[in-house]
Structures are given as C-alpha cells and as structure tokens.
Amino acid sequence: MPLPAQTPVGGALDAPDKREYSCRSLADTNSQLIFILAHSLLLLQTVAALISYPPAGPLPGWLEREAFLMGTTLRIVAELPDSASGAPTLEPAFDAVRRLEASLSTWREDSDLALLNRSPVGHPRAIPPAVYHLLGEVRRWTERTGGAFDPAVGALVDAWDLRGTGRHPSPEALERARRASGLTRFAWDDPTATVARREAEAWLDSGGFGKGAALRLVRDALRAAGIPRAFADFGGQWLAIGGRSDENPWPVAVAHPARRDKAVAWVGLRDASIATSGQSERSVRVGDTRLGHILDPRTGRPVSAWGSVTVLAQDPLAADVLATALFVLGPAEGLRWAEANDVAALFLVARDGRLERRASRLMRGHLLDDPTSGKE
Ligand code: ADP
Ligand code: MG
C-alpha cells in the first residue's frame, strides 16, 4: 500500500484540486496531532480511531460543523461541490441524526425505543416502519454473529448497573437478567411491524448500533447534497466520503487500546466507515475490578479488557455492529470469524506489556505506513 503523497498531519495540505488551504508548517505537526488527540479524548467514548486531516479550523472550500448528539459529538468536515450554486449546508445530515436519536435513544423517555421498552408485557406495540426495518437489520446481525451482538442486553445492563456506578449481581440476579435478555425475549411481527416484550425486565439498548445507523444517514445526506469529499467523526467512529484525493484514502490513526494519545496503526479510508470497540474509560470500577460496557450475551458478563478491535466496512452500521461483536468474540475467535466472513478487522491485543497487531486479510489491504514517521 503506497504512502499517501502527503501525510495527513500538518503537511497534507497540497490537495490535488489546487484549492488554497491554510497551510501549517511541519513544525506544527506534533502540536497539531496532540491537539487533535487531546480534542478527541474529550469526544471519544471508546478506544478511538483518530484522524488528523484536514486540520481543525475552517478551510477555504470546506464546511465544518459539530453538534452534540447521541451523548457524544458529531463533527463533519465536507468539501463544497465545485458547482455549488447556493452552497449546500450540513444541516440535513445533522437533522437526520437528530431525528434518529429522537427515535432510538434509551436515555430519554419519549423515543420509539424507550416507549417499546416500557410497553406492557405481551402487548404488541407498533413501531414506525423505518425503525422496525432498522431493528430487522440488527436482528439479522444478531443471528449472523451467533448472538455475540445482541441489542436485547438491557436486563444485563441493569443487573451490572452499567449506567450507574456498577455492581456485581448475585448469581440469582444474574440468572434472572439472563432469562430476560436476548432478542427471543421479544415477539416480532413483520406484517404489522409490531413488537411485544415477553419479559418485564427486557429492553433493547441502541448503544451498540445507533452511531453506525446515524452515520449511514449522514453519508446519504452528504451524497444527496453533492458533496464530493468529507469525513465525519462521531465519538470514535469515522465515515469517509471519497478519499483524501483521487489517489489517496483518508489516513485514520488507530489508537493504542490503553493509551488513546498514541497511534499504533494507520488505516486508509475511502467511501467507508471505521469503528473501534474496546474496554474504554467507559467502564465502571467496582472494588478492584473494572466492568466494561460491552457485555457477552452468551455469558451475561462484561467482556474483560483484552485490547480493542477496529472494523472497516462500507456500511457504517455494519462497522459499528461488527466492532462490538468481534470485541465480544475476542481476538482468536473474532479473527476467525472476520476471515470466514470477509470482514476487514484489526485486533490490538495487549499481552505482557506488549501490543500485538493482528489484521484480517481484508484489513491488511487497508493498512498504511505511519504517515507521520520521518517528518519531525
Ligand atoms: P461505543 O458506543 O462506545 O462506540 P460500541 O459500539 O461497542 O461502543 O457499543 C457499546 C454499547 O453497546 C454498550 O454501551 C451497550 O449500550 C451496548 N452493548 C453492550 N454489549 C452489547 C452486545 N453484546 N451487543 C450489542 N450491544 C451491546
Ligand atoms: Mg458498536
């Protein structure tokens, strides 16, 4: 894989369309990287994939905007189309995410999902067709991943108090929560687009797929606006429209699972999305143990901190879902699954103070050399 002609950090400013960019000298490289990494620390909720191009701040010919959505920050940087008669805005993309959040959030009481999650047991509840369709896709991912990805982990989230300060449930409480978890605790009726809960404690958690679903809407909105090149950063998941140039993809840095300020791999992104899952600081400490926010639906327990997995996929929903699923499966089984299912995945495994990189065959085709090396 050839190096980008220009690195994304500091020097990546000589774009082929010869637009004028606000140049930063190479001396700025490190401060720029550190700024972006530090900035990202505030934004990212999982072990992060970090991009550092274009530099923060307005560039001629580019639009940039960010908003707080789905509990994190969505930042979009987009190149204006050449033929812009009446410049497009990024608003439709943000509006689409806002609407999706209003539908999927389980942190508010009035969303479609929250209403379903509180609906009386045994009573079918009508779901808006688009949401029902999305949940159908997610259900198929649950089947495909053998239940490693399962949004119906709500009862387990409660049992471990992952949205509070964390707790170790008693064996009885864990067993009860397991009996109330899993998509089979819901009755799905496709012809009427209705869902009925079968257990009082069962609820669906959109945390593992909401950002991916949202980035898909962002992609569609940006394409509809005729935007030729863009990237979006949504709390650690990235979306690229086009590449950095016709020849080069956007270089995205993948952070060390335990040290987010350290890039340990670079992945080229073009018309695709990249998501990372790991046990991040979004874990809760209970006594001596840390409970991660990703649960293994097969055991009912939080997945222990083995490292992180980064997935690249054309479909942002698939990237989001598969990063979570492969983190649950772990580096050995996860890599086998990724190979068997043609998934581009990079596993970063922390072992004995060292970090092992294990890339699936498809991911190897996207790995870049460190574009910042030799530029200091
Ligand atoms: P992040 O949202 O931090 O980027 P993920 O995409 O991996 O990370 O999603 C983690 C979230 O998904 C958890 O906070 C929880 O809401 C939900 N979740 C936890 N375990 C699972 C699982 N096995 N399958 C589906 N969703 C899960
Ligand atoms: Mg996910």
Side-chain angles (χ1 to χ4, degrees):
M1 169 72 54
L3 256 180
Q6 302 275 336
T7 71
V9 180
L13 306 166
D14 184 16
D17 61 2
K18 301 292 183 244
R19 283 171 194 263
E20 284 252 320
Y21 292 97
S22 59
C23 283
R24 286 163 198 255
S25 71
L26 287 180
D28 280 341
T29 295
N30 285 341
S31 58
Q32 176 71 21
L33 180 61
I34 287 163
F35 167 78
I36 288 162
L37 295 177
H39 187 61
S40 301
L41 283 180
L42 299 173
L43 308 183
L44 306 188
Q45 295 191 331
T46 62
V47 175
L50 303 168
I51 196 169
S52 41
Y53 176 84
L59 295 168
W62 289 78
L63 288 169
E64 176 176 359
R65 178 148 145 49
E66 63 180 42
F68 192 77
L69 287 159
M70 294 188 167
T72 185
T73 301
L74 169 61
R75 173 174 168 246
I76 303 176
V77 182
E79 188 182 27
L80 289 168
D82 279 337
S83 59
S85 55
T89 73
L90 301 179
E91 270 332 295
F94 285 96
D95 287 345
V97 177
R98 224 168 268 125
R99 280 195 299 275
L100 187 69
E101 180 179 17
S103 204
L104 288 188
S105 174
T106 53
W107 294 90
R108 52 195 281 174
E109 301 214 321
D110 59 348
S111 72
D112 297 311
L113 208 55
L115 291 169
L116 167 63
N117 284 339
R118 286 205 314 281
S119 63
V121 172
H123 287 256
R125 184 175 172 86
I127 309 289
V131 181
Y132 192 87
H133 185 262
L134 175 62
L135 292 176
E137 269 188 79
V138 170
R139 282 160 63 202
R140 283 192 287 284
W141 280 118
T142 300
E143 282 162 26
R144 278 192 68 188
T145 60
F149 186 90
D150 189 333
V153 286
L156 290 167
V157 171
D158 289 341
W160 293 90
D161 192 24
L162 295 179
R163 291 191 167 190
T165 52
R167 91 165 74 84
H168 284 277
S170 67
E172 299 75 36
L174 181 57
E175 200 35 51
R176 227 180 18 254
R178 290 185 66 184
R179 278 201 302 270
S181 297
L183 282 179
T184 52
R185 271 57 173 179
F186 293 78
W188 305 84
D189 189 55
D190 294 349
T192 55
T194 58
V195 187
R197 295 193 310 136
R198 289 182 161 142
E199 299 283 339
E201 290 170 27
W203 60 276
L204 297 170
D205 185 345
S206 54
F209 67 90
K211 280 190 294 187
L215 280 177
R216 194 150 77 176
L217 299 179
V218 168
R219 179 194 66 190
D220 295 346
L222 296 180
R223 283 189 181 154
I227 282 167
R229 281 191 283 166
F231 71 79
D233 162 17
F234 199 5
Q237 181 167 349
W238 297 87
L239 166 77
I241 306 273
R244 204 196 82 203
S245 64
D246 286 347
E247 297 78 31
N248 296 310
W250 297 100
V252 176
V254 181
H256 189 292
R259 290 194 41 205
R260 288 186 177 189
D261 55 343
K262 194 171 174 224
V264 291
W266 290 82
V267 179
L269 198 61
R270 177 193 295 280
D271 287 318
S273 183
I274 194 165
T276 298
S277 286
Q279 198 207 47
S280 64
E281 69 283 348
R282 270 185 66 197
S283 54
V284 285
R285 179 173 282 286
V286 186
D288 288 343
T289 42
R290 276 202 163 277
L291 306 176
H293 68 303
I294 298 178
L295 290 150
D296 186 338
R298 302 164 303 176
T299 62
R301 296 175 178 278
V303 179
S304 60
W306 56 260
S308 71
V309 55
T310 295
V311 172
L312 185 154
Q314 276 184 342
D315 176 8
L317 179 72
D320 193 9
V321 162
L322 288 174
T324 308
L326 294 181
F327 185 69
V328 170
L329 292 177
E333 195 185 344
L335 184 57
R336 278 196 298 276
W337 198 94
E339 297 291 21
N341 291 278
D342 290 331
V343 172
L346 174 65
F347 295 81
L348 297 176
V349 187
R351 184 163 293 164
D352 305 329
R354 288 183 26 249
L355 194 69
E356 268 177 45
R357 277 168 44 155
R358 299 185 198 163
S360 70
R361 184 179 42 79
L362 274 186
M363 181 58 102
R364 286 199 288 277
H366 296 281
L367 290 178
L368 305 174
D369 295 327
D370 178 353
T372 63
S373 65
K375 292 251 173 184
E376 286 168 31

